[in-house]
Amino acid sequence: MKIKYLCLISLALCGFAACDKSSADDNPNPRPGKEEEELPEISGLSSIYDLNTVEGYLNSHSATWQNSTLEMDYTSLVTIENPKVTPLYPMYPRIKKTAVGTYILIYQQNTAAHDVYLSRSANLRSWTEMETQLFAKTDMKQYESEVMDRVLFTSADAIVLANGDILAFASFRLNNGYRTNPLNNGIMMRRSTDNGNSWSEPEVIYRGTNWEPSALQLRTGEIHVYFTSSDPNKGDSGTALLRSNDNGKTWTSVGKIIRQYAGTAMDGSGDPIYTDQMPVAIQLNGSDRIAVAIESRFGRTGTSADKYHISMAYSADNWAAGGLAGTEEGPADRKSNLYLNEAAPYLRQFRSGETLLSTGVSKVFNIRIGNSKASQFGTPMPTVFKNGCWGSIEIIDDHTVIGVFPFAWSETVDGNSVSRARIQLAKFVLNHGVNASAFTPVVDGTAEDWKNVDDALFIGSESTTSSVFRFGYDSENLYGMIERKDESLTSQDGFELMFQSGNGSGNPVVLKFSFNEGKLTCSDANVKFAYGLIGNLDDDMEDDGMAIEFSIPRSSLNVVNDGLLFNAVIKDAAGDDTFWGLTGTNYSKWLKLDLKPASEPAPEPEPGKGENYGDGPSWGEGDEVDPW
């Protein structure tokens, strides 16, 4: 059994020190009469999930969304194995957080699917076995006894309603009958009133050929189900809508609301066909506006290969015009074929304003951060999820989103090639600008004074080593608290902290914390710091990590309009780690660090006629102020 303890080290260097490259003899702040002293006791290290819990202003980061980034938490990466939970070839995973904080995972067997499964978890790591076939090859005689007594299910999704109920939806087709009669297809729904532990009997809420239903509840309580409405004989599709104003007890069909021309029918009739499918919708923060991410498919005619692109469509009036008629395309408020050669979108929005768009790109799961109107998105973040399709994302708190994705491969069994797949999931932490807290901590290497400092940043996507960063300020100094979880502390560990001026000008101030002969030193003589270790450097015993508390005079930093830009690198023997998408010189992407309280943002205008790309007011020649 390992006994955890704090190592003894020269207090002259590390109990409370000016941060420089000097030896212990040169240290300017020794304590008389004490050459050695035990480092301050660290009772534990803060988790990023215990921070960022204070609810911020709605759309607080809408104006700075391009400085926001996601960071995967490596320690949350889970592969759900067969046969305990998943079938041999699980696909189309969807994950939801219930009203009591547990999780349900919905997925299907194989790409075409016959059944839809459900597993439950309290912690995202341990999952129940497949005790529930959420939508199975059920006896369908109650619906179509004269046609077929078996039904096949595919592309299921679910929604947790405001009252805590869970509605699950799946597309169904009667075996071998879906092409000959559209009414042999439909959408089936089940309800859980106990957080996914039990489910109502299935009920049909729509008849017609369809795929890929997904649901949205508006702030008014109205529920939408968006789905791909298709004619597989012609190769035609489009997005259609169902509404419910009684919590899903009854449904009204609106018809197709989103589609664009895609070519002529595959059956040789010459009829026009349309696309825009696999929809996922959100209602934007603080707005009546609805944004829908869709997959647009081209190339169904002749021998040309299929091409998939990502489009966006919007409604400001809850689709008041109803369904599209005849050869009508729509809506006019849209961004067609925005991202080429991408497929399977999923769309979500953080309270702070950033939207998230996940897609599949060459079988790799990507996530983009976008603006609060879901009309502009940044550089895609390729995740560790690869060799799969049909992933999804789900926001579980104001700073955390779960990504879930299958990965597939083939193996030889008894001389035959057999397809296999597993489901992977991980948490991704939202890093965006933070407001340092106004206070003066005692720089003693513990987090005792930081209990009320909630805003934090996180690095930890490359290994089990991770760090959280918090900041404070007063009229004289900037203060920092770094807590590093590290199972193997070594003399190669350290940090580079980079502070750039608030307007991105000049050269950044770089603080390099590193170990020298077993003692932590730093590259800037203006910095005072204290630190503690839970464990030992360079041994074979498991460690917990370390904490560093520091101060640097504001006069040493180029603070502009009470602001700085921040970047950091974790130095580790297993490899360096930094914020995703940030480099040492792309200052415009560095994270904003404000030395002032947060303030409520001004309301953003709705997109409208005459604006550039529908994103907001345009700049005119001679404008001196930002029209936002």
Side-chain angles (χ1 to χ4, degrees):
M1 175 179 176
K2 178 187 175 185
I3 300 175
K4 298 274 178 79
Y5 58 91
L6 300 171
C7 65
L8 296 175
I9 203 159
S10 171
L11 181 69
L13 271 176
C14 299
F16 185 81
C19 181
D20 61 15
K21 295 181 177 179
S22 61
S23 67
D25 293 336
D26 298 326
N27 191 278
N29 295 308
R31 293 187 181 183
K34 290 189 177 183
E35 295 182 357
E36 242 181 41
E37 184 173 296
E38 187 173 351
L39 293 176
E41 182 177 352
I42 305 173
S43 59
L45 297 169
S46 301
S47 165
I48 189 62
Y49 304 112
D50 295 327
L51 303 172
N52 292 328
T53 58
V54 176
E55 187 176 88
Y57 292 112
L58 190 69
N59 288 339
S60 58
H61 290 69
S62 59
T64 57
W65 65 272
Q66 290 171 307
N67 292 85
S68 301
T69 185
L70 289 177
E71 181 82 1
M72 190 189 79
D73 177 3
Y74 182 91
T75 64
S76 71
L77 180 61
V78 172
T79 300
I80 304 176
E81 295 288 352
N82 168 271
K84 181 179 179 181
V85 175
T86 66
L88 291 177
Y89 201 78
M91 286 283 136
Y92 211 90
R94 301 291 185 258
I95 195 166
K96 306 295 171 185
K97 184 178 180 180
T98 71
V100 294
T102 58
Y103 301 90
I104 62 170
L105 177 65
I106 299 171
Y107 47 94
Q108 67 188 42
Q109 161 66 343
N110 217 316
T111 53
H114 289 169
D115 303 283
V116 172
Y117 300 91
L118 178 138
S119 294
R120 295 174 292 121
S121 177
N123 57 14
L124 294 174
R125 303 194 72 85
S126 301
W127 292 86
T128 59
E129 297 189 24
M130 291 187 301
E131 86 287 357
T132 301
Q133 285 184 310
L134 187 59
F135 294 99
K137 298 176 184 178
T138 312
D139 188 330
M140 286 290 290
K141 290 181 179 179
Q142 57 178 314
Y143 297 114
E144 293 287 348
S145 59
E146 74 281 5
V147 177
M148 191 66 60
D149 63 356
R150 304 296 276 178
V151 65
L152 309 179
F153 292 95
T154 188
S155 55
D157 206 343
I159 185 172
V160 180
L161 301 181
N163 70 353
D165 285 2
I166 306 172
L167 301 183
F169 307 90
S171 297
F172 72 83
R173 66 183 188 274
L174 298 182
N175 193 25
N176 298 322
Y178 77 101
R179 286 186 179 272
T180 58
N181 184 356
L183 296 182
N184 288 342
N185 309 268
I187 298 174
M188 193 170 290
M189 183 187 82
R190 298 186 74 180
R191 182 189 301 266
S192 175
T193 58
D194 58 4
N195 305 298
N197 295 306
S198 63
W199 295 83
S200 66
E201 290 298 315
E203 58 179 301
V204 174
I205 64 170
Y206 174 76
R207 287 287 188 170
T209 310
N210 76 94
W211 280 270
E212 302 148 348
S214 67
L216 164 68
Q217 186 172 33
L218 304 182
R219 284 182 283 276
T220 61
E222 180 180 337
I223 303 170
H224 288 180
V225 172
Y226 297 81
F227 61 94
T228 302
S229 176
S230 63
D231 182 342
N233 298 304
K234 290 181 177 292
D236 178 69
S237 72
T239 290
L241 172 65
L242 302 176
R243 301 182 191 272
S244 176
N245 285 295
D246 55 11
N247 251 20
K249 296 178 181 177
T250 61
W251 297 87
T252 301
S253 178
V254 178
K256 290 186 179 181
I257 56 170
I258 304 170
R259 67 180 180 187
Q260 63 175 311
Y261 178 75
T264 55
M266 294 189 305
D267 61 4
S269 65
D271 293 341
I273 60 171
Y274 301 87
T275 186
D276 291 346
Q277 58 196 44
M278 206 174 185
V280 179
I282 59 173
Q283 186 177 23
L284 297 171
N285 289 350
S287 172
D288 293 332
R289 190 169 173 81
I290 297 168
V292 188
I294 41 186
E295 173 189 274
S296 300
R297 183 179 186 180
F298 298 90
R300 296 298 305 275
T301 58
T303 59
S304 61
D306 284 346
K307 297 291 184 182
Y308 293 90
H309 311 315
I310 300 299
S311 300
M312 296 292 302
Y314 311 90
S315 174
D317 59 7
N318 193 9
W319 315 104
L324 301 170
T327 59
E328 185 181 4
E329 299 179 65
D333 189 358
R334 61 176 297 142
K335 292 179 179 292
S336 297
N337 311 320
L338 189 61
Y339 300 114
L340 304 183
N341 301 314
E342 301 186 24
Y346 219 81
L347 186 66
R348 287 294 181 258
Q349 185 173 31
F350 282 110
R351 174 178 172 80
S352 50
E354 300 96 334
T355 50
L356 298 181
L357 175 65
S358 69
T359 65
V361 183
S362 299
K363 296 187 177 181
V364 176
F365 191 60
N366 284 249
I367 306 176
R368 286 179 171 87
I369 290 182
N371 66 359
S372 63
K373 303 301 183 186
S375 57
Q376 290 180 295
F377 295 91
T379 303
M381 171 189 180
T383 69
V384 297
F385 302 145
K386 299 178 180 179
N387 204 33
C389 58
W390 301 334
S392 64
I393 52 177
E394 194 67 17
I395 290 176
I396 60 171
D397 63 43
D398 288 350
H399 279 78
T400 312
V401 61
I402 301 175
V404 59
F405 196 67
F407 74 96
W409 74 96
S410 296
E411 61 185 43
T412 301
V413 179
D414 297 330
N416 299 313
S417 179
V418 179
S419 295
R420 296 283 190 255
R422 298 291 182 267
I423 294 175
Q424 290 187 304
L425 63 86
K427 293 179 182 178
F428 295 80
V429 176
L430 174 66
N431 283 315
H432 58 201
V434 295
N435 289 85
S437 294
F439 79 124
T440 303
V442 176
V443 180
D444 58 6
T446 75
E448 184 67 26
D449 293 339
W450 295 79
K451 292 180 179 178
N452 296 323
V453 180
D454 189 64
D455 277 3
L457 300 172
F458 172 79
I459 296 177
S461 63
E462 295 298 320
S463 69
T464 55
T465 299
S466 64
S467 296
V468 295
F469 304 82
R470 288 181 286 173
F471 300 95
Y473 70 96
D474 58 23
S475 60
E476 299 295 328
N477 297 302
L478 171 72
Y479 302 94
M481 184 73 210
I482 309 170
E483 294 171 274
R484 172 176 176 145
K485 294 187 176 181
D486 195 333
E487 296 175 352
S488 179
L489 292 169
T490 76
S491 56
Q492 298 179 56
D493 295 341
F495 291 94
E496 289 186 9
L497 309 183
M498 293 161 273
F499 298 93
Q500 175 60 291
S501 63
N503 59 10
S505 62
N507 295 318
V509 173
V510 180
L511 312 182
K512 295 182 179 181
F513 290 91
S514 58
F515 284 98
N516 182 13
E517 297 182 352
K519 299 175 177 61
L520 192 68
T521 64
C522 182
S523 59
D524 192 318
N526 294 307
V527 173
K528 294 182 179 180
F529 73 99
Y531 76 101
L533 306 179
I534 309 180
N536 273 336
L537 297 179
D538 301 318
D539 65 13
D540 58 359
M541 300 179 71
E542 183 177 334
D543 303 310
D544 279 351
M546 64 185 296
I548 304 173
E549 188 175 18
F550 69 89
S551 69
I552 181 171
R554 292 176 63 147
S555 58
S556 298
L557 303 167
N558 188 8
V559 180
V560 177
N561 294 327
D562 296 319
L564 292 165
L565 300 174
F566 176 69
N567 194 3
V569 177
I570 299 177
K571 310 295 288 186
D572 189 74
D576 295 350
D577 198 359
T578 187
F579 298 109
W580 185 87
L582 274 62
T583 68
T585 57
N586 63 345
Y587 305 138
S588 64
K589 289 291 295 178
W590 286 18
L591 293 154
K592 291 183 176 296
L593 173 58
D594 285 331
L595 279 60
K596 59 184 178 182
S599 58
E600 186 170 6
E604 291 183 273
E606 295 289 350
K609 186 175 181 180
E611 297 161 6
N612 288 342
Y613 308 108
D615 298 329
S618 61
W619 283 78
E621 190 171 344
D623 283 348
E624 295 180 356
V625 295
D626 187 340
W628 283 99

